[in-house]
Amino acid sequence: MNKLYLFVFLFFSATSVWAVPGIDAVTVTTNPDGGQSYTVTIQIVALMTVLTVLPSLLLTMTSFTRIMIVLGLLRQAIGTAQAPSNQVLLGLSLFLTIFVMMPVFEKVNTQAVQPYMEEKIDVTTAIERASAPFRVFMMKQTREADLELFMRISGREDFETVDDVPFSLLLPAFVTSELKTAFQIGFLIFLPFLVIDLVVASVLMSMGMMMLSPMIISLPFKIMLFVLADGWSLVLEMLAASFYV
């Protein structure tokens, strides 16, 4: 009997849902200036689509790539396999990225988000205004050689100014420059820990302890050196300052 009640309830619930008249998905309104605006339904669908690519935008248009790679190389240089864990490094990289990108986010909020929320501008104008601060940030961090490389690959070298460079060329050039910078910083971080490994390995070989792994002996010394030098503060300060040079 309980199953019968449940079936009847689901049947009438489904019937009532299907009885609701549908919402027009596509409604185009022509503006006085000749432009077109879409219904709220289409805007919500577009917003949900944009949310799915937010991780990719975070990796390619912000400082997240450089910070995450440097912190990963730092963990390898110290020699700790899972300390700090990946979750800690991701969280630290995310919040440091927010700190570094805050001036850009504030400009986007002032120039694009707030006017759009107040219905002073349309979606197209909001996207154009929002992309301008990101373009300025990315252009400052992009090497000219990397930008020229992708311009040469695409066969488009007729840009008069940097403002004429499309995002399709700026994005890969920016990511390539970030990878180069991250590995350069990682190389400098590796050097002092490499010296400790060489010294410990030389001492162990001179003492005839060839069966003892140098990594086991050098790990406490590297951790001690990193703690005494206040390594986390130095690395994070260096990373944040590297974006404002």
Side-chain angles (χ1 to χ4, degrees):
M1 184 64 65
N2 294 333
K3 293 183 179 179
L4 179 60
Y5 289 153
L6 180 60
F7 174 79
V8 174
F9 173 77
L10 293 177
F11 175 80
F12 282 104
S13 299
T15 305
S16 60
V17 171
W18 285 108
V20 176
I23 302 176
D24 294 335
V26 180
T27 302
V28 182
T29 304
T30 303
N31 298 326
D33 56 355
Q36 293 179 340
S37 59
Y38 302 92
T39 59
V40 178
T41 306
I42 296 299
Q43 294 178 5
I44 292 177
V45 172
L47 178 61
M48 297 302 295
T49 304
V50 171
L51 290 178
T52 59
V53 299
L54 276 181
S56 300
L57 297 178
L58 177 65
L59 292 176
T60 56
M61 297 180 62
T62 64
S63 58
F64 182 85
T65 302
R66 181 190 305 185
I67 296 173
M68 186 62 194
I69 292 177
V70 171
L71 293 181
L73 292 176
L74 173 62
R75 183 175 63 180
Q76 293 184 6
I78 297 177
T80 55
Q82 296 295 332
S85 62
N86 292 331
Q87 291 82 358
V88 174
L89 292 184
L90 285 172
L92 182 59
S93 301
L94 179 61
F95 285 106
L96 189 58
T97 299
I98 295 175
F99 172 77
V100 173
M101 299 296 297
M102 187 55 65
V104 178
F105 293 155
E106 290 178 352
K107 291 181 180 179
V108 172
N109 181 60
T110 303
Q111 300 176 7
V113 177
Q114 293 301 326
Y116 176 73
M117 297 297 293
E118 297 173 0
E119 299 183 355
K120 296 181 179 179
I121 57 176
D122 55 3
V123 178
T124 305
T125 306
I127 294 176
E128 293 177 354
R129 291 187 180 182
S131 62
F134 282 99
R135 173 184 289 273
V136 173
F137 171 80
M138 295 166 62
M139 193 63 68
K140 288 183 178 180
Q141 310 302 325
T142 304
R143 292 180 172 86
E144 294 183 3
D146 296 329
L147 189 58
E148 293 175 357
L149 168 65
F150 286 95
M151 291 171 60
R152 186 170 61 254
I153 293 175
S154 64
R156 302 176 60 185
E157 303 181 13
D158 54 346
F159 302 110
E160 298 181 356
T161 61
V162 294
D163 296 333
D164 299 332
V165 178
F167 266 95
S168 59
L169 295 181
L170 181 58
L171 275 175
F174 170 73
V175 175
T176 304
S177 297
E178 288 294 284
L179 292 175
K180 290 182 179 179
T181 304
F183 277 93
Q184 289 176 355
I185 297 175
F187 171 76
L188 296 178
I189 292 176
F190 255 93
L191 288 180
F193 300 106
L194 179 61
V195 171
I196 296 178
D197 288 334
L198 292 175
V199 171
V200 171
S202 300
V203 172
L204 291 178
M205 291 186 64
S206 63
M207 297 177 63
M209 299 180 180
M210 299 181 181
M211 300 301 294
L212 184 61
S213 175
M215 296 296 296
I216 300 177
I217 306 300
S218 63
L219 180 58
F221 291 99
K222 291 190 289 187
I223 294 178
M224 180 183 65
L225 173 65
F226 191 70
V227 172
L228 292 178
D230 197 10
W232 286 112
S233 298
L234 293 176
V235 171
L236 296 181
E237 180 182 2
M238 176 268 302
L239 280 173
S242 65
F243 291 97
Y244 295 102
V245 177

